[in-house]
Amino acid sequence: MSVGRNCVVAVLAATVTLGSSHAAQAQGSLSTARDLYAAAAYDEALTALNALSSGGDAISDSSTVALYKALCLYGLNRNTEGDRAVEAMVAQHPMYRPPLDELSPRMRTTVIDTRKRMLPAILQQQYADAKSAYERQDYATALAGFKQVIEGTSDPDLAVAAAQSPLRDLVTLATGFRDLADKAMMPTLAPKVAVTLPGPVAVPSAPRIYSVNDTDVVSPVAVRQVIPTYTRPVTLRKTAVVELLINETGAVESASMLSTLEPAYDHAIVAAAKTWRYEPAKLNGQPVKYQKRVQITLVPTAAR
């Protein structure tokens, strides 16, 4: 989106709060660049801002520097370069949200639209990086990454997108893996040493099946859990529960209805449940079998 000189002039009286903890020289340089911009000396302001960027300023200031670069370019009617500068600002500082009430209406729209367009892909890449760290067992990095994804989806500019796929699913996955990473970082007790005594050969027992009652077990996290669509009209709210046995690989070994809705739909739920996949439950970091219950509710059609 282009922003002409007349639109940018409306910003000249506004002052962007810097909140910088820089040394006096860096603070003075940024203040000088801001004063040059306010005086419509855009070329000189750009030169000062570029010098600040090459000096390695702290991120709290570099995000403000990036914003002023875009403002100066728009002031010079270099609108395409201004658009690219806004994109660079979002890419480098995705969580930085400029003081929108101090920008002109068109500049405000440019920033918001650019963030709406770019942030979903940035958050998905952050999730992929955090997942890779988790698989490398770098749990500290993974935990920080998953938290960043969750916090990012709460950004006001993503209010609509975060309520829909794929960001809604991304939050679910990031929350589950955040809990797993947090659990994996907790110290575990040293295993007890078993003493084998002479006697009859013991018959191996079946693997224990854990459930929500076992508070020391990290419950499974849904990777794919698609509930079949109910196509008939619904006049009364109905709720049913399907019970799953999830094995150590995250596959559903068995599924059964504890309470029902109607025979045909119950059958569809059970068939679908057997295709669901999960990150398996874990005890002290080791996958275990887990009995999980999933509640399914049909809401009256008129209430949807």
Side-chain angles (χ1 to χ4, degrees), residues 2 5-6 11 17-18 20 22 47 64 75 79 110-111 124-125 133 136 173 191 204 209-210 235 240 255 268 281:
S2 298
R5 179 183 294 270
N6 292 336
V11 190
T17 303
L18 301 179
S20 173
H22 274 225
T47 299
T64 304
N79 299 325
T110 298
V111 171
Q124 291 180 55
Q125 184 59 52
R136 297 193 307 270
L173 291 171
I209 298 175
Y210 295 85
T235 58

Side-chain angles (χ1 to χ4, degrees), residues 83-144:
D83 292 343
R84 300 291 83 79
V86 173
E87 291 176 354
M89 178 185 72
V90 175
Q92 294 168 9
H93 315 289
M95 295 301 103
Y96 171 63
R97 197 166 187 265
L100 301 179
D101 58 335
E102 297 179 5
L103 301 179
S104 68
R106 292 193 63 183
M107 181 64 179
R108 186 184 310 136
T109 299
T110 298
V111 171
I112 291 175
D113 288 348
T114 302
R115 297 184 85 242
K116 285 181 178 179
R117 173 167 53 84
M118 294 181 62
L119 285 182
I122 291 173
L123 291 174
Q124 291 180 55
Q125 184 59 52
Q126 288 176 343
Y127 170 81
D129 293 341
K131 183 67 159 48
S132 296
Y134 179 85
E135 292 170 351
R136 297 193 307 270
Q137 298 184 357
D138 183 358
Y139 298 121
T141 300
L143 182 61

Side-chain angles (χ1 to χ4, degrees), residues 214-231:
D214 297 294
T215 57
D216 57 340
V217 175
V218 179
S219 59
V221 176
V223 175
R224 184 179 68 250
Q225 181 180 288
V226 181
I227 298 174
T229 302
Y230 187 77
T231 57

Side-chain angles (χ1 to χ4, degrees), residues 146 150 171-181 218 221:
F146 291 129
I150 296 167
V171 173
T172 300
L173 291 171
T175 301
F177 278 112
R178 177 203 62 189
D179 295 342
L180 290 172
V218 179
V221 176

Side-chain angles (χ1 to χ4, degrees), residues 26-47:
Q27 180 76 352
S29 299
L30 185 53
S31 178
T32 298
R34 183 185 61 189
D35 292 341
L36 288 168
Y37 167 77
Y42 302 129
D43 281 318
E44 294 85 346
L46 270 176
T47 299

